[in-house]
Amino acid sequence: AAALAAAGFRVEYLSSMMVPLRPALAAYRRLSAGRARSGGAARAAMHDLRIIPVADPLMGALLARERPRILRRERLAGGTSLIAIARPDGP
């Protein structure tokens, strides 16, 4: 919110998202921490961003319950990402 405000935006909505994925992501990152040390941060980031086709439907099902709450602009806590709606501040 502070970064958006500093850039001249008025925040209308800001929330965490992807809450159900947090425990799995934390475990995954703990298990792959050695990879970051041995292969560098760029390699670890690329590994994090790879697509796992079998996981897509599972993640979609887990996150489907968040969508209506985000559309109602409820604030969620403890997610792995942020979502924001912001508009230019001023005329």
Side-chain angles (χ1 to χ4, degrees):
L4 286 166
F9 290 89
R10 178 177 33 85
V11 176
E12 293 184 2
Y13 173 71
L14 178 68
S15 177
S16 290
M17 61 185 283
M18 299 189 177
V19 175
L21 301 183
R22 188 174 180 179
L25 185 60
Y28 172 79
R29 287 186 175 161
R30 270 194 298 278
L31 292 172
S32 64
R35 186 177 298 112
R37 286 191 294 275
S38 65
R43 182 174 173 202
M46 289 305 294
H47 186 69
D48 277 359
L49 296 173
R50 71 190 164 109
I51 296 171
I52 305 169
V54 72
D56 250 5
L58 175 61
M59 285 191 224
L62 285 171
L63 297 174
R65 297 180 71 198
E66 275 189 350
R67 185 170 190 249
R69 296 180 68 196
I70 289 171
L71 290 173
R72 288 190 304 265
R73 295 189 182 187
E74 291 180 26
R75 286 183 170 55
L76 308 175
T80 63
S81 298
L82 292 174
I83 185 169
I85 298 173
R87 301 198 190 276
D89 196 15

